[in-house]
């Protein structure tokens, strides 16, 4: 090969490599999207209310608060190449089915709910060393669930499922007294003909160091986690302090 031909061949090869590298980089950047976050929202939902919100295969919901998710603020879907693998949490399955069940679908073999939580939130939480694997992420959430003991705290305050109504301020004050921080509580608004909102979700928040912190943002700041969560045709939103609050004990309309 003549020197001139060799020169052009090297330039062509270099250009091709550079082009491939750029294309690969674009692919990586579109699938891996690290976002800085500052707070974890640990969400518990009340299965009876969840079932009321949806017409899915929801039978005999648990009569205790279950895990909805562990969510970093300001971040979602951070790594679409890090796929959920149920075998990585095989040692946690029994606890997952009990404390983090797919309330809307009764099959014990469904893992779609956990996959969704990992894809959307776990891949972002994994920037912390203590959450940087699927086993660590789900395992730490189960550990926090036991530590928070929301079910026990509510019972100790005399707050339990009932046909009577509660004052939202009383629920907030009880939880703030236990945890020393302000939780975020979400309800179903009253439907036509109803006078009470229905409690559906309670979120307890943690710093990146996994220390308790207020969930609600200071006045004037926006909350990076959406205030509304939708199942089927119904929607949860931050509870109204002035409305009576229903804590349902069974699946039925409460007028």
């Amino acid at each position: 090969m003549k020197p001139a031909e060799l020169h052009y061949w090297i330039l062509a090869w270099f250009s091709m490599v550079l082009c491939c590298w750029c294309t690969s980089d674009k692919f990586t950047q579109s699938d891996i999207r690290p976002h800085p976050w500052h707070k974890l929202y640990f969400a518990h939902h009340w299965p009876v209310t969840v079932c009321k919100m949806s017409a899915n295969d929801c039978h005999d919901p648990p009569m205790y608060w279950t895990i909805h998710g562990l969510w970093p603020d300001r971040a979602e879907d951070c790594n679409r190449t890090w796929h959920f693998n149920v075998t990585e949490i095989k040692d946690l399955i029994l606890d997952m089915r009990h404390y983090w069940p797919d309330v809307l679908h009764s099959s014990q073999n469904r893992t779609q709910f956990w996959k969704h939580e990992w894809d959307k939130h776990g891949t972002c939480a994994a920037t912390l060393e203590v959450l940087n694997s699927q086993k660590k992420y789900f395992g730490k959430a189960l550990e926090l669930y036991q530590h928070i003991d929301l079910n026990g705290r509510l019972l100790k305050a005399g707050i339990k499922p009932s046909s009577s109504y509660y004052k939202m301020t009383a629920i907030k004050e009880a939880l703030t007294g236990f945890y020393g921080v302000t939780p975020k509580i979400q309800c179903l608004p009253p439907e036509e003909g109803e006078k009470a909102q229905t409690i559906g979700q309670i979120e307890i928040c943690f710093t990146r160091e996994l220390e308790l912190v207020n969930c609600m943002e200071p006045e004037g700041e926006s909350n990076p986690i959406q205030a509304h969560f939708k199942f089927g045709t119904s929607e949860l939103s931050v509870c109204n302090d002035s409305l009576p609050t229903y804590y349902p004990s069974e699946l039925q309309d409460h007028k």
Side-chain angles (χ1 to χ4, degrees), residues 21-56:
W21 179 83
C22 291
T23 302
S24 174
D25 184 62
K26 289 179 181 178
F27 175 80
T28 301
Q29 291 303 318
S30 67
D31 283 345
I32 302 176
R33 301 184 300 165
H35 296 289
W37 55 269
H38 310 289
K39 184 187 299 185
L40 284 167
Y41 287 75
F42 187 39
H44 303 63
H45 54 195
W46 182 241
V48 176
T49 302
V50 174
C51 286
K52 180 182 178 182
M53 295 168 66
S54 176
N56 285 335

Side-chain angles (χ1 to χ4, degrees), residues 98-216:
H98 186 74
Y99 301 116
W100 201 331
D102 184 344
V103 175
L104 296 180
H105 303 92
S106 58
S107 172
Q108 289 267 324
N109 296 321
R110 286 184 62 91
T111 59
Q112 191 63 31
F113 180 38
W114 304 335
K115 176 183 183 303
H116 167 78
E117 291 300 313
W118 170 255
D119 291 348
K120 187 172 183 179
H121 305 291
T123 56
C124 301
T127 56
L128 287 188
E129 184 178 352
V130 294
L131 302 174
N132 67 0
S133 72
Q134 292 176 44
K135 186 171 184 178
K136 286 183 180 180
Y137 172 72
F138 290 107
K140 179 58 70 173
L142 291 169
E143 181 183 318
L144 291 175
Y145 179 87
Q146 298 295 340
H147 175 69
I148 289 296
D149 187 21
L150 179 61
N151 294 284
R153 298 298 189 183
L154 288 171
L155 285 174
K156 189 172 182 180
I159 300 169
K160 56 186 178 181
S162 171
S163 58
S164 301
Y165 297 137
Y166 292 94
K167 291 183 178 180
M168 178 48 57
T169 52
I171 297 175
K172 283 184 176 179
E173 287 171 4
L175 293 178
T176 301
F178 280 127
Y179 300 124
V181 294
T182 305
K184 179 179 175 182
I185 308 179
Q186 298 201 69
C187 294
L188 278 178
E191 296 180 0
E192 185 177 354
E194 293 184 342
K195 63 179 181 180
Q197 61 191 349
T198 302
I199 194 167
Q201 184 154 287
I202 297 177
E203 298 164 31
I204 308 295
C205 291
F206 294 87
T207 65
R208 291 177 63 92
E209 292 73 37
L210 298 183
E211 296 177 353
L212 287 166
V213 67
N214 290 333
C215 282
M216 304 305 287

Side-chain angles (χ1 to χ4, degrees), residues 47-89:
V48 176
T49 302
V50 174
C51 286
K52 180 182 178 182
M53 295 168 66
S54 176
N56 285 335
D57 179 24
C58 196
H59 305 293
D60 300 320
M63 289 301 296
Y64 51 89
W65 289 84
T66 60
I67 301 172
H68 186 173
L70 183 62
W71 309 326
D73 64 347
R74 309 178 190 275
E76 293 182 354
D77 298 305
C78 292
N79 188 343
R80 294 175 182 172
T81 67
W82 196 350
H83 303 299
F84 175 73
N85 182 356
V86 71
T87 61
E88 294 191 23
I89 59 169

